[in-house]
Amino acid sequence: MLQTNFSRFLGLRYPIVGAPMAGPGSGRLASIVSGAGGLGMVGVGSRATRKWVRGQLDAASSMGQQRWGVGVQVWALPNQPGVMDEIEIARPAIVSLSFGDPSPYIDQVHRAGALAASQVNTVADARKAVDAGIDVVVVQGAEAGGHHAGQVATLPLLQGVLEALEHDDVFVLAGGGIGTGRGLAAVLAAGAAAGWIGTAFLATPEAHSPLLAKMAVLSAKETDTIHTRVFDLVGGIDWPERYPGRALHNSFARTWHPREAELAEWAEGSDPESAEKLAAVKEGLTTATKAEDYDVAVVYAGQAAGLVRDERRADEVVRSIGEDAERCMRAAAELCVPDEWFR
């Protein structure tokens, strides 16, 4: 059985965490991932209400799962009254405080009996997170889907963070580009305590996404993503500038990503002409979203989308990745045995 200090601490069958994806990361998906032996997480978006959060956390624990988590966007919490209180009441195993300073919320997470996690994109961010009191550092590479400030790939960043935190009593997890057992085995062999996996679950029946969005993921290649702010700028979502989102490339991104600075000027402008221009673009995006036209509408996904080739249940994804990683690790151990390597 493949085990790490993190999986043993939480009583997991596999060192796999289902990333807290706002939108697809429903309570049902979290429950299924946990039931299969990983750690499922609910993704709380920037516009989620306390009532919605309560419903999703109830769903996460509805199948009797004792171990599940939740992820929030720190920058949005000041405008989400009661959300952290609801999370404290629910007593998850882990709470991810990402995309902003986690410091104001760590004590509340600990009062809930949970581990405080944070996704980081640089070695300096990892150091700050640990100094703030974070228990779980999630190394998030540039390959990852959704919003992040990643400019460094997962493996180089993981090596740097592990070296920097070598003497700190924290769990270090790796996320970004992990879509198979080989990917999980790679980060575990490098020293990560678990894989933080999102994109691999996007096409599962349990993911809370429209069918056509899942089909778009299934047809994507590893080269079919883009890291951009244009969907947020047009949609009026106030993500901090530091955190663009990695999404599937489509005609909307091809048109507007080269004009991202222009969109930002329109969004920041106070004159009627700027507002009118932005409103016209937004209308097209809104219409496409309602029509599930993903040649225009956004589907956030990472570069591991090229590894998602069929629709499988979330529990099958967990077991497949976990068991394949075990086989890969055993094979690697056998390869390292021959004495002739050192002659």
Side-chain angles (χ1 to χ4, degrees):
M1 181 182 293
L2 181 61
Q3 289 285 287
T4 67
N5 58 351
F6 179 79
S7 60
R8 282 190 291 269
F9 184 85
L10 291 180
L12 309 179
R13 169 65 180 81
Y14 305 107
I16 293 173
V17 177
M21 302 177 288
S26 65
R28 180 171 177 243
L29 176 59
S31 179
I32 297 298
V33 170
S34 290
L39 181 74
M41 295 191 70
V42 176
V44 178
S46 61
R47 295 176 176 176
T49 64
R50 180 172 188 169
K51 180 179 179 181
W52 181 91
V53 170
R54 183 187 308 126
Q56 295 303 313
L57 299 186
D58 286 346
S61 59
S62 63
M63 297 177 66
Q65 306 302 341
Q66 297 300 309
R67 290 288 183 264
W68 50 272
V70 58
V72 298
Q73 299 166 9
V74 169
W75 68 269
L77 284 177
N79 296 318
Q80 294 177 294
V83 165
M84 284 302 297
D85 295 331
E86 206 61 50
I87 290 171
E88 182 179 357
I89 292 167
R91 297 187 67 80
I94 184 171
V95 179
S96 176
L97 303 165
S98 300
F99 317 116
D101 179 11
S103 301
Y105 306 100
I106 292 176
D107 285 346
Q108 189 171 14
V109 170
H110 288 161
R111 284 200 304 271
L115 295 172
S118 190
Q119 298 174 85
V120 302
N121 305 119
T122 68
V123 174
D125 286 346
R127 182 74 267 161
K128 289 178 183 178
V130 172
D131 290 345
I134 286 293
D135 310 298
V136 182
V137 173
V138 183
V139 174
Q140 187 183 46
E143 305 97 319
H147 293 81
H148 55 80
Q151 300 295 321
V152 182
T154 302
L155 281 175
L157 183 58
L158 176 61
Q159 293 169 78
V161 170
L162 286 169
E163 182 176 318
L165 303 184
E166 183 177 3
H167 302 294
D168 292 277
D169 186 19
V170 294
F171 297 111
V172 177
L173 279 55
I178 304 170
T180 67
R182 289 183 175 89
L184 178 59
V187 297
L188 294 179
W196 186 271
I197 301 173
T199 298
F201 293 104
L202 286 178
T204 63
E206 297 85 1
H208 189 64
S209 304
L211 177 60
L212 291 179
K214 296 177 182 182
M215 296 300 292
V217 173
L218 288 169
S219 63
K221 302 186 295 296
E222 74 278 6
T223 54
D224 289 341
T225 68
I226 185 171
H227 201 205
T228 185
R229 295 178 64 217
V230 297
F231 295 104
D232 292 325
L233 288 169
V234 175
I237 302 175
D238 296 328
W239 269 94
E241 185 177 352
R242 186 187 179 205
Y243 303 111
R246 183 168 295 283
L248 296 185
H249 218 315
N250 59 14
S251 64
F252 187 89
R254 280 190 293 274
T255 299
W256 290 106
H257 183 66
R259 301 172 65 182
E260 185 177 298
E262 187 177 1
L263 285 175
E265 288 180 6
W266 293 351
E268 295 166 2
S270 57
D271 59 291
E273 184 179 357
S274 294
E276 186 177 334
K277 289 177 180 177
L278 190 62
V281 181
K282 183 176 182 177
E283 182 180 359
L285 182 61
T286 301
T287 300
T289 302
K290 291 179 179 177
E292 298 182 15
D293 175 9
Y294 293 105
D295 189 44
V296 176
V298 65
V299 178
Y300 286 110
Q303 293 176 347
L307 301 169
V308 182
R309 301 187 180 96
D310 52 15
E311 184 179 358
R312 293 184 294 167
R313 298 194 315 267
D315 59 336
E316 294 177 343
V317 173
V318 172
R319 284 191 286 269
S320 173
I321 293 176
E323 291 170 8
D324 286 350
E326 289 179 2
R327 283 191 286 270
C328 288
M329 296 291 277
R330 289 195 197 100
E334 291 172 2
L335 285 173
C336 290
V337 169
D339 291 337
E340 57 264 26
W341 278 29
F342 302 98
R343 291 175 183 169

